[in-house]
Amino acid sequence: MATVKETYTLILKSSTPTSWKGWIVFLLSSAWILYTLAYLSNLFFYLNIVPYPTTHRALNVGVLSTLVFLDYPLKKYYKFAWLVDIMAILFVVVGSGYIIYKADELIFAWGDADIFEMIMGTGLIFALMEASRRTSGIALPVIIAFFFVYTMYSNHFPGFLRSTGFSYARTVGWMYLSAEGLWGPIIEIVSSLIAGFVIFGAFFKSTGAGKFFIDLALSLTGHVRGGAAKVVVIASGLMGMITGSVVANVATVGTITIPIMKRCGYKNEFAGAVEACASTGGVFTPPIMGAVAFLIADFLGISYWRVIVAAAIPAALYYIVLFNQIDLEAVRLGLKGMPKDQIPSLRKTLRDGWIFLLPIMVLVFFLGILQYSGETSIMLTLLSLVIVSLFKKESRPSIPKISEAFISAAKGMESITPVCSAIGIIVASLIITGAGINLSSGLLALSKGSMFLLLLFAAGANFILGMGMTSVTCYIITVVLMAPALIKIGIEPIAAHMFLFYYGTVSFITPPVAIGAYVAANIAEANFWKTGWRATLLGAAAFIIPWSFVYNPSLLFVGSLSETLKVIFFCATGCFSIGVAIVGVFWFLPRTVKIWQRVVMGLAGLVLLGPVSETMTNMFALFAAFLVTFYNFIHSDYAQRVWLKH
């Protein structure tokens, strides 16, 4: 039997990095985590140390951008690739270090950059653009570069894009030295609230809570028709709303859930598509919503509680459509529930793992009910997570688990922090040139005042930008560029923000990129394109529901309760109709219905999800869907057996 010392040595060895680069990544990640926790818990205040806001933001950008170049090195087949990485890290360290050193002066005044500052600022901006390219693709750096050049030469642009133009020294000074560019309000939220929630998600995952969610889903729905796929929806939705990452959720939960679906009779492509859609839905499901809930609250100046209440019904409708299609697919394939010996006991599952629900309840209680600050709420939530994890041997903190959580949290922020700092260039450009106001006017003119056309432009742009970007990044860009125009045309502010948020996530399941579906297809050993298109159909609600709450803001609890209930009724009915149209079967009729009936059900569903102010139109659509349903019911074997019996 191993001694305590031998056991400790074995554990330490299993969590020890295997290279010098691994050690640097681990130490930087650990230092960043500890610093962030100290900052969020106001430890510096109690130690009589008050870091300037710019200092905090520059420190975050410097550390996490350095980690990007260590974790995503330039491909070795490029000549002098190592030199590019070293130069990028040097520009990041020196550029952010200068801001940390001069923060006390820059907080009061800034001016045109001198030669030295122009070199550092330019180098840092290029480094951040390269970091963005390595984590989010080429599209974002190109957009950022355009706005940087536009700031200097805006006096040469036509129409509503025309402005005064600025010198290079003034442009770099505004972007690099002021608190409106790289160190603006976006990176303020990212380096505090979002960082805290990413850390919470990493530690939550390290406790093994994912197994509890999977067992809970199995015990709740494993025995019902199509239960294996419904398990995926519950488990991936619960984990997705906490981790906030579609890809990470598919890669972790999917390795367990996708094989279960395949064993129960679902095709590979369908199994991968269900996992991708369920994980994507978790991003816009309260209470965490991938931390975007806090960005929406900050942009609109409303409470966090208001945001998650508004997001509740659309998220529920999304999962209703997904559940409905899964159930109908099970009917079509004649699938039954899972064997009882593969389903854990609900009582035992709750007894062993109910404590994992407590941290989420703590978060909602302090942040939503008591309305504590986000920083205080997340620290209390983290504290509750540590406490509850001590009650189970499997979830207790250990050196390997803590190491894994440290690195996982830092990796989660690598794709957010440098990108959001670089996005500050877009925001700063719109402010200094006045293009933000002009852009809204230009979009309104281009759409000729049509709300439908403007929403179509916004949805298309958001979908394209969302390819390869995180939902947080895509949301920030499109909100800055398009939300003012949407609000100006008369759309409810929270509906405009939610619309942009939803369309920033659909690219995770929609080809040609569909990174969520791609990862799921690899796990399922399925064809990517078939999986992607199947995920697009399963996740159809993500395309339709945003239009519903724009035209029916009652879905977001804007207006009277009676109007909200009416909207919910019509939209829920529409969701079921669309499910029948896509799958082609009814719950009581396993054979495929005729094409014209699917068309009628689909059109009825779209109408029911449309503007409910046209009550007669909705009633007509409801009646048409009822007639098609009743016609198929009376011709079903079930109805025939009932009538023959009587």
Side-chain angles (χ1 to χ4, degrees):
M1 184 175 179
T3 64
V4 174
K5 183 178 180 180
E6 289 171 342
T7 304
Y8 177 80
T9 304
L10 184 63
I11 293 173
L12 184 62
K13 187 176 180 181
S14 68
S15 61
T16 300
T18 56
S19 66
W20 64 269
K21 187 183 288 188
W23 269 109
I24 294 175
V25 169
F26 173 71
L27 293 174
L28 277 177
S29 301
S30 302
W32 173 76
I33 293 278
L34 295 173
Y35 164 78
T36 302
L37 294 177
Y39 183 85
L40 292 175
S41 61
N42 289 321
L43 180 61
F44 294 118
F45 174 79
Y46 296 118
L47 295 175
N48 204 26
I49 302 172
V50 184
Y52 292 103
T54 311
T55 301
H56 171 66
R57 299 166 200 174
L59 184 62
N60 271 267
V61 172
V63 172
L64 291 163
S65 299
T66 300
L67 286 172
V68 169
F69 293 113
L70 292 171
D71 281 332
Y72 301 88
L74 201 62
K75 302 296 183 184
K76 290 184 178 180
Y77 54 76
Y78 289 116
K79 200 172 183 179
F80 302 116
W82 60 272
L83 184 59
V84 174
D85 291 337
I86 291 175
M87 289 297 295
I89 291 173
L90 184 63
F91 276 123
V92 165
V93 172
V94 175
S96 56
Y98 180 77
I99 297 299
I100 293 171
Y101 177 71
K102 299 278 287 186
D104 58 336
E105 298 177 23
L106 297 175
I107 197 171
F108 296 110
W110 64 274
D112 293 358
D114 57 31
I115 295 296
F116 180 62
E117 290 169 339
M118 280 192 285
I119 293 172
M120 288 190 301
T122 303
L124 178 60
I125 289 170
F126 270 108
L128 290 176
M129 289 170 61
E130 174 61 11
S132 301
R133 185 194 68 79
R134 296 189 189 187
T135 57
S136 302
I138 192 62
L140 182 58
V142 170
I143 296 170
I144 292 169
F146 167 79
F147 276 95
F148 187 87
V149 174
Y150 166 73
T151 305
M152 293 186 291
Y153 299 105
S154 55
N155 55 318
H156 296 291
F157 279 73
F160 65 85
L161 291 175
R162 188 177 184 85
S163 185
T164 57
F166 298 89
S167 67
Y168 191 76
R170 172 52 60 99
T171 302
V172 173
W174 176 248
M175 303 294 183
Y176 174 56
L177 300 176
S178 79
E180 295 294 339
L182 299 178
W183 325 113
I186 292 175
I187 198 64
E188 174 189 8
I189 303 170
V190 167
S191 60
S192 54
L193 279 178
I194 292 182
F197 278 92
V198 169
I199 293 171
F200 168 70
F203 276 90
F204 192 84
K205 189 167 63 174
S206 72
T207 62
K211 183 181 183 303
F212 162 68
F213 285 143
I214 292 171
D215 287 346
L216 178 63
L218 279 168
S219 60
L220 287 173
T221 62
H223 62 284
V224 301
R225 180 175 62 195
K230 293 171 183 175
V231 166
V232 176
V233 175
I234 296 175
S236 298
L238 288 171
M239 281 301 293
M241 74 180 185
I242 294 168
T243 62
S245 171
V246 176
V247 176
N249 200 55
V250 172
T252 52
V253 180
T255 55
I256 301 172
T257 56
I258 289 175
I260 293 175
M261 283 188 284
K262 290 169 64 177
R263 285 199 303 268
C264 290
Y266 286 107
K267 291 184 178 179
N268 295 13
E269 289 80 13
F270 186 84
V274 170
E275 177 59 55
C277 289
S279 296
T280 299
V283 176
F284 43 74
T285 301
I288 298 178
M289 298 170 61
V292 172
F294 304 98
L295 289 170
I296 296 175
D298 187 78
F299 274 122
L300 294 177
I302 59 179
S303 69
Y304 158 82
W305 186 251
R306 176 69 187 92
V307 176
I308 64 169
V309 166
I313 296 176
L317 290 174
Y318 173 84
Y319 278 110
I320 287 172
V321 174
L322 186 56
F323 256 92
N324 185 38
Q325 288 194 67
I326 289 170
D327 190 53
L328 293 173
E329 183 70 13
V331 171
R332 191 178 70 84
L333 297 175
L335 299 180
K336 306 297 182 183
M338 297 174 63
K340 289 185 178 181
D341 59 350
Q342 296 182 18
I343 302 174
S345 164
L346 177 60
R347 179 179 297 179
K348 183 178 183 301
T349 300
L350 289 174
R351 186 184 67 232
D352 294 343
W354 66 272
I355 56 174
F356 290 121
L357 300 174
L358 290 178
I360 302 173
M361 295 168 63
V362 167
L363 173 65
V364 174
F365 178 73
F366 283 103
L367 191 57
I369 298 176
L370 296 185
Q371 296 190 5
Y372 279 25
S373 68
E375 291 85 351
T376 302
S377 299
I378 193 58
M379 289 308 299
L380 290 170
T381 305
L382 271 168
L383 179 62
S384 68
L385 177 63
V386 172
I387 293 172
V388 301
S389 67
L390 297 174
F391 285 90
K392 288 190 66 180
K393 182 180 179 180
E394 298 83 1
S395 63
R396 285 173 193 159
S398 63
I399 293 175
K401 287 180 181 178
I402 293 172
S403 300
E404 179 189 354
F406 277 12
I407 294 174
S408 176
K411 278 187 176 293
M413 289 301 294
E414 284 174 20
S415 60
I416 298 176
T417 301
V419 171
C420 289
S421 179
I423 289 173
I425 293 174
I426 300 175
V427 180
S429 175
L430 294 175
I431 292 173
I432 197 172
T433 62
I437 299 173
N438 295 337
L439 181 62
S440 295
S441 302
L443 287 172
L444 288 170
L446 188 63
S447 64
K448 297 180 180 179
S450 168
M451 182 185 293
F452 176 80
L453 282 178
L454 188 58
L455 288 169
L456 200 61
F457 294 154
N462 214 348
F463 175 76
I464 294 171
L465 288 172
M467 295 180 181
M469 291 188 193
T470 65
S471 55
V472 173
T473 305
C474 187
Y475 164 76
I476 292 172
I477 294 176
T478 51
V479 159
V480 169
L481 295 176
M482 298 177 181
L486 295 176
I487 294 171
K488 194 172 182 180
I489 206 171
I491 297 173
E492 283 287 337
I494 194 167
H497 281 246
M498 291 285 290
F499 182 91
L500 295 172
F501 177 35
Y502 264 70
Y503 269 94
T505 64
V506 293
S507 60
F508 281 104
I509 56 173
T510 311
V513 178
I515 186 65
Y518 177 79
V519 175
N522 281 338
I523 298 172
E525 299 177 336
N527 178 274
F528 161 67
W529 287 99
K530 290 181 179 179
T531 304
W533 291 121
R534 195 60 191 263
T536 303
L537 289 174
L538 283 173
F543 294 90
I544 301 169
I545 289 172
W547 295 82
S548 301
F549 57 63
V550 165
Y551 284 102
N552 310 310
S554 297
L555 273 178
L556 306 179
F557 286 98
V558 176
S560 66
L561 180 60
S562 60
E563 187 68 19
T564 298
L565 293 175
K566 182 174 74 171
V567 171
I568 292 173
F569 170 73
F570 282 126
C571 287
T573 309
C575 289
F576 286 111
S577 299
I578 287 174
V580 172
I582 292 173
V583 181
V585 300
F586 282 91
W587 308 273
F588 46 78
L589 190 69
R591 65 176 181 273
T592 304
V593 300
K594 296 178 181 178
I595 292 295
W596 70 267
Q597 296 174 347
R598 296 174 69 173
V599 171
V600 170
M601 293 296 288
L603 290 175
L606 290 174
V607 171
L608 289 166
L609 284 167
V612 294
S613 56
E614 301 291 338
T615 306
M616 291 304 299
T617 305
N618 283 273
M619 292 302 296
F620 178 78
L622 188 65
F623 183 66
F626 171 77
L627 283 181
V628 173
T629 304
F630 183 72
Y631 172 82
N632 282 277
F633 175 75
I634 61 175
H635 288 85
S636 67
D637 294 337
Y638 176 79
Q640 295 296 328
R641 287 197 303 270
V642 171
W643 286 337
L644 287 173
K645 186 177 180 180
H646 290 83

